[in-house]
Amino acid sequence: MAELQTAWVAGYRTVAPVSKEDETMLPVFVVLRRMLLTAWIASHSDTETARQLGTDYTQGTLMIGERFLSTL
């Protein structure tokens, strides 16, 4: 994920500035988005998307969250 973030920031900076303070917040937004999508999957378990993502997505969210919390 760090490589994707680095590439995204580099690309974004070709269009507009990104402060270091803003850049340090990106992991927070990634974790928040994963949590929101996990909640959506849980509340829409009858959809094909939720069935396809299933428990693997939730497990991935847990791993990302634990990794994030270990950096605080």
Side-chain angles (χ1 to χ4, degrees):
M1 194 172 342
E3 291 175 5
L4 289 173
Q5 179 178 310
T6 300
W8 182 86
V9 169
Y12 194 94
R13 282 189 171 130
T14 65
V15 179
V18 177
S19 71
K20 286 293 180 185
E21 293 81 17
D22 289 342
E23 188 176 352
T24 62
M25 290 300 296
L26 289 175
V28 174
F29 296 123
V30 169
V31 170
L32 177 59
R33 180 67 175 156
R34 284 294 296 229
M35 290 171 55
L36 290 171
L37 286 172
T38 301
W40 183 89
I41 289 168
S43 66
H44 292 79
S45 60
D46 57 329
T47 66
E48 184 61 29
T49 301
R51 284 192 293 273
Q52 286 177 351
L53 294 172
T55 58
D56 288 341
Y57 192 86
T58 301
Q59 291 300 321
T61 300
L62 289 170
M63 289 175 21
I64 290 170
E66 288 171 350
R67 193 175 320 130
F68 172 78
L69 290 173
S70 72
T71 65
L72 299 178

